Amino acid sequence: MVTDTEAGLLLAFPEDEAIARHAAEASGLGCALIARHRFPDGEIKLTLPARLPGTVVIWRGLEFPNERLTELLLAAGAARELGARRLTLVAPYLAYMRQDIAFHPGEAVSQRIVGRFLAGLFDALVTVDPHLHRVATLQEAVPLPTAVALSGAPILAAHIAARREQVLLLGPDEEALQWVAQAALGHGWAHGTCRKERRGDRDVTVQLPPDLAVAGRSVVLMDDVASSGHTLVQATRALLAAGAASVDVAVTHALFAGDAVERIRAAGVREIWSTDCIPHATNAVSVVPVIADALRQHGLAG
């Protein structure tokens, strides 16, 4: 029989093994992998350890989310059957948070639907910089008693401070203010946001803040996520045209679809820094310490 005194276990999928083992060690958890088999028809079979303790953490970033949400459904259900009584999801990147209202009649509000789906599978959630715009707390999006939203902004800010002086920190659009303000707080940096007008996924225009002089400044564009990169490209071009001495980019979630990185660099960006929430060549800082602290502080590590 599994008892509450047994050590908790972190389960991870093979592609998350390196960061998951690091997080398990930092959290005082054991670590095991979930094996995956794909049948010719596309269905998936998962194999977990045959016996689980009462406290289980599943580590799963939700970039490329559609199949991974199905994997979570299977993994959480199997974990319950194998003995897990307290089940926590660590999703460094939490997908489907952007659509928080129906902009047109009949649109699915994915934040609400996916949030309820995850709440039905897990007892707790830990994530980093979820894209919450019209809701105030993560618990409104994912209705769980323990829903912890951490931020990559402070650790990115420390990285920036070690590499740039007299920084002007800008968000590429107004929604980025929450991360920009948090990052600037401990360093006394001037900060603000650009104004974005979006006409399509790849059709945006960006206006610089009129009250901040950028000429001769070391500007860092900060955001929670970079996907297509079009907003960063337009902001960079505008900043360099206005006389910025340099432009760097710092993001929590390095989605960078297609040739986004190449286009951002071609626009004149000097450095791109990201957290390891999503594995990427631009990863510069790790969120493992803050996630491990959160698991311990909230009693989720056993």
Side-chain angles (χ1 to χ4, degrees), residues 11-73:
L11 295 175
F13 289 81
E15 52 268 36
D16 296 323
E17 180 177 5
I19 191 170
R21 289 197 182 280
H22 184 193
E25 182 179 358
S27 308
L29 292 162
C31 188
L33 295 183
I34 298 171
R36 180 198 301 109
H37 175 77
R38 190 182 306 279
F39 293 101
D41 63 1
E43 290 189 3
I44 298 167
K45 179 180 72 174
L46 302 181
T47 303
L48 283 64
R51 182 174 176 270
L52 295 178
T55 297
V56 173
V57 176
I58 295 180
W59 184 289
R60 194 54 166 151
L62 289 175
E63 63 274 19
F64 312 110
N66 298 340
E67 185 170 284
R68 294 187 178 199
L69 288 171
T70 300
E71 290 177 343
L72 284 182
L73 172 65

